[in-house]
Amino acid sequence: MGWLTMTRLGMAPYETPKAYLDAQLTYERPATGETPFRALRVLKSVYSGSAYYAAVERYDESGARLYVTAIICLVRWNPKAADGHIFGYKDMDEDMGPCEAGCPRSVLELLTSSTHPYALDWRRRCYRLLELTERTIADGDLIRFPEPMQFTDGSRHADFKVRREGRKLTLTLPDGRGRFKISRLLERRFEIIRQPKVARTIFPAA
């Protein structure tokens, strides 16, 4: 499916992409003629600014669960768009094997089992990314990339020391020189080398 774009009037009465998409994925359609009953409800959704991930439950006429699957939407949101089309989205389900694999754990853990190969591959990629982004890097840790990275000044480095200031991470060379910025750092593969902590020796008073 391609992109669907709309104005604020087209989004009405919803003010945000998340609210609009939650509403689109929550409905009941009674059985008519040869068309069976269809119903869907959002159990959990997360909107990151460029992507929307939702665990949606399909249920029958009695309200009993049939299954829970993931819906992924790419989102374009520009409230100041010159042409008035402030919102656009492209939706897909996990069985389509989306490239986007940044689904939060809170959504993934609500999904029921699947045998679809594309869905299984997508879930594996999501969990692998979570393993990377949920790593804890402490102040003073040394991180080592599999291969040296090249920077705009022409230098190449594989080892960096981490300086943590709250949530902000600063990278320097192991000897403390320089300041380096690596985009999407926590999504990259690297080894964390913990620095040994030397206990302070306290000498008893004479």
Side-chain angles (χ1 to χ4, degrees):
M1 182 177 177
W3 284 85
L4 176 64
T5 62
M6 64 192 72
T7 63
R8 189 173 295 279
L9 181 61
M11 289 181 66
Y14 307 104
E15 294 292 329
T16 66
K18 184 178 185 300
Y20 179 89
L21 293 170
D22 283 348
Q24 295 300 302
L25 297 174
T26 303
Y27 60 81
E28 283 192 4
R29 295 173 183 164
T32 55
E34 296 182 356
T35 303
F37 174 87
R38 290 177 64 82
L40 203 66
R41 57 189 163 212
V42 175
L43 301 182
K44 172 74 177 181
S45 67
V46 176
Y47 169 56
S48 67
S50 60
Y52 166 95
Y53 296 92
V56 295
E57 180 184 51
R58 182 80 66 185
Y59 58 95
D60 63 20
E61 291 178 276
S62 69
R65 171 178 295 178
L66 300 176
Y67 59 85
V68 180
T69 189
I71 300 293
I72 302 91
C73 298
L74 302 183
V75 175
R76 294 173 182 165
W77 174 242
N78 180 10
K80 297 182 180 180
D83 64 357
H85 284 74
I86 64 172
F87 173 50
Y89 72 96
K90 180 180 181 180
D91 65 302
M92 61 203 88
D93 62 41
E94 61 176 327
D95 289 354
M96 298 170 69
C99 293
E100 292 67 30
C103 187
R105 187 178 295 275
S106 60
V107 171
L108 289 170
E109 291 181 343
L110 294 175
L111 307 180
T112 52
S113 61
S114 173
T115 59
H116 196 290
Y118 288 174
L120 294 176
D121 177 68
W122 178 78
R123 294 184 188 188
R124 281 193 292 267
R125 287 188 283 116
C126 288
Y127 277 113
R128 176 53 183 153
L129 184 59
L130 284 171
E131 289 176 4
L132 295 177
T133 58
E134 291 177 351
R135 289 173 294 182
T136 300
I137 306 176
D139 182 59
D141 280 349
L142 184 70
I143 62 174
R144 176 171 295 156
F145 291 90
E147 300 290 338
M149 304 186 69
Q150 184 163 346
F151 295 86
T152 54
D153 63 356
S155 63
R156 293 171 57 84
H157 309 283
D159 292 358
F160 300 89
K161 180 172 284 188
V162 175
R163 295 301 183 195
R164 179 178 283 278
E165 301 174 0
R167 292 187 176 183
K168 181 180 179 181
L169 295 179
T170 300
L171 301 180
T172 71
L173 294 181
D175 60 8
R177 291 183 297 116
R179 292 291 186 274
F180 299 85
K181 182 177 181 180
I182 299 175
S183 63
R184 305 179 74 168
L185 173 64
L186 294 179
E187 296 181 17
R188 298 178 182 269
R189 288 175 172 77
F190 55 76
E191 177 185 4
I192 301 176
I193 303 173
R194 306 292 185 190
Q195 299 297 299
K197 294 184 179 181
V198 180
R200 186 176 63 172
T201 301
I202 301 176
F203 296 96

